[in-house]
Amino acid sequence: MSTPAGPGWYDDPDDPLLLRYFDGVVWTSHTTPRRSPTADASRIGRAPQVPPAEGRGAYAAGPQPQTYAPGAGGWTTRSSALPDGALLAEWWRRLLAAIVDSVVVSIISAILAWPWLGRALTLLGDFFDQSVQAGSGGPEPDLLAFQADFVAALLPVAVVSIVVTLIYEVGFLVWRSATPGKMLLGTVVRRSGAAGPLTLVDALKRQAISVATGVLGFVPFVSFLASMLTVLDPAWLLWDARRQTLHDKVADTVVVLKSR
C-alpha cells in the first residue's frame, strides 16, 4: 500500500474494518472503526421520524421544550402551546399582571371603603397612643375591646374589596377577555378547548376561589386554611402541565399570549 501524502485517517493497511491515523511520517497505534457503531441510530442527514398521529387533542402536540424535573427522574416534556397554536403565558407575565390588577383594585376599594378604613386607622392610632402612655405609667389599653372594634371596622372594608375585585375581574374578562394588568402584559384568558371571549358563567367560576377565601378569612379556625389556599391557588401554575392555576381549573380556562 502506498504511503499517504500527509497526516490524517486512512484505511488501515492491516485491517479493512478500521481506519488508522498516519502522522505524516509513520503509522500510529490510533485506530477507529470505519463505520460508527451508532450510525444506524443517528438522525444526522435524515428526515425526522414523525410518530403516528395519536391523541391530537392532547397538549403534547408538536415539538415541545424540555424542563428538568428531578422528582420525575430527569428531563420531561412540557408543552407551551395549545393544539391550535396559541402560546401559554409565562408565569412572570401572570405575576406582573396580578400585581398591576391588585394595585388598581386596592386603590378603588380604599376610596369606596374609606369611611370604615378611616375608622380602622383611627382605632389603630388610639391604641398605639394608649400603649405609649401605659409605658409612662398610664392605664393599660383594653386589648380585647380594641381587637373587637378593629375587626368590626375592617369587615366592611373586606366586603367592599371582595365586591370590587369580583366586578373588576368578571367585567373585564367578559368584555375584553383580559383585565388591565393582563392587557398591559399582552395576555388574554380563554377556555382551554376553544378561543373566544368567556361567558359570564365562566368568568364567575374563575372568581369562586377568590370569593371563598376572602369570606373564609374572617371565620375562626378556617382562616388559616383559607390563607394556605390563597397561596396555593396561583402557585399551582408553576408545576401544572397547562400552566393553570386552581381558579383556571375550576373554570377550565387558560391564559395565553395575545395574538399580534
Side-chain angles (χ1 to χ4, degrees):
M1 181 177 182
S2 62
T3 302
W9 290 95
Y10 298 92
D11 293 339
D12 190 328
D14 302 321
D15 190 338
L17 298 180
L18 299 177
L19 296 176
R20 185 177 295 273
Y21 190 77
F22 183 75
D23 65 5
V25 179
V26 297
W27 292 99
T28 69
S29 60
H30 302 296
T31 62
T32 186
R34 287 179 57 84
R35 180 179 177 82
S36 170
T38 60
D40 292 336
S42 175
R43 300 265 61 87
I44 298 176
R46 304 185 185 185
Q49 300 299 308
V50 181
E54 295 179 359
R56 291 189 179 274
Y59 283 82
Q64 301 168 26
Q66 291 181 318
T67 55
Y68 190 70
W75 289 91
T76 57
T77 299
R78 176 178 175 180
S79 176
S80 60
L82 301 182
D84 58 12
L87 297 178
L88 295 169
E90 305 92 335
W91 67 268
W92 60 267
R93 288 181 188 269
R94 299 194 61 173
L95 175 61
L96 293 178
I99 292 175
V100 172
D101 289 330
S102 295
V103 171
V104 175
V105 168
S106 296
I107 293 175
I108 297 174
S109 299
I111 294 174
L112 296 179
W114 180 250
W116 302 282
L117 184 59
R119 171 167 171 71
L121 293 176
T122 299
L123 289 171
L124 188 61
D126 292 343
F127 182 79
F128 178 77
D129 292 339
Q130 293 172 12
S131 298
V132 172
Q133 294 172 6
S136 302
E140 291 287 339
D142 189 340
L143 179 59
L144 293 179
F146 163 72
Q147 290 177 335
D149 291 341
F150 192 67
V151 170
L154 284 182
L155 186 58
V157 177
V159 172
V160 170
S161 179
I162 291 173
V163 173
V164 169
T165 301
L166 182 64
I167 295 175
Y168 177 90
E169 291 281 343
V170 172
F172 275 110
L173 290 182
V174 173
W175 177 34
R176 300 290 299 273
S177 297
T179 58
K182 290 181 174 61
M183 294 180 204
L184 184 63
L185 272 297
T187 62
V188 294
V189 182
R190 50 165 278 187
R191 293 292 301 272
S192 62
L198 300 182
T199 65
L200 178 60
V201 174
D202 293 333
L204 287 172
K205 285 182 179 179
R206 205 167 184 273
Q207 290 304 114
I209 291 180
S210 175
V211 173
T213 53
V215 173
L216 295 178
F218 283 86
V219 179
F221 307 112
V222 181
S223 58
F224 176 71
L225 296 177
S227 299
M228 291 182 60
L229 183 57
T230 300
V231 175
L232 183 62
D233 174 21
W236 197 272
L237 69 85
L238 296 177
W239 55 80
D240 187 81
R242 293 189 290 178
R243 299 181 188 174
Q244 287 180 303
T245 59
L246 292 181
H247 62 264
D248 281 319
K249 290 188 174 296
V250 170
D252 191 27
T253 58
V254 289
V255 179
V256 300
L257 300 182
K258 185 178 181 180
S259 58
R260 300 299 180 182

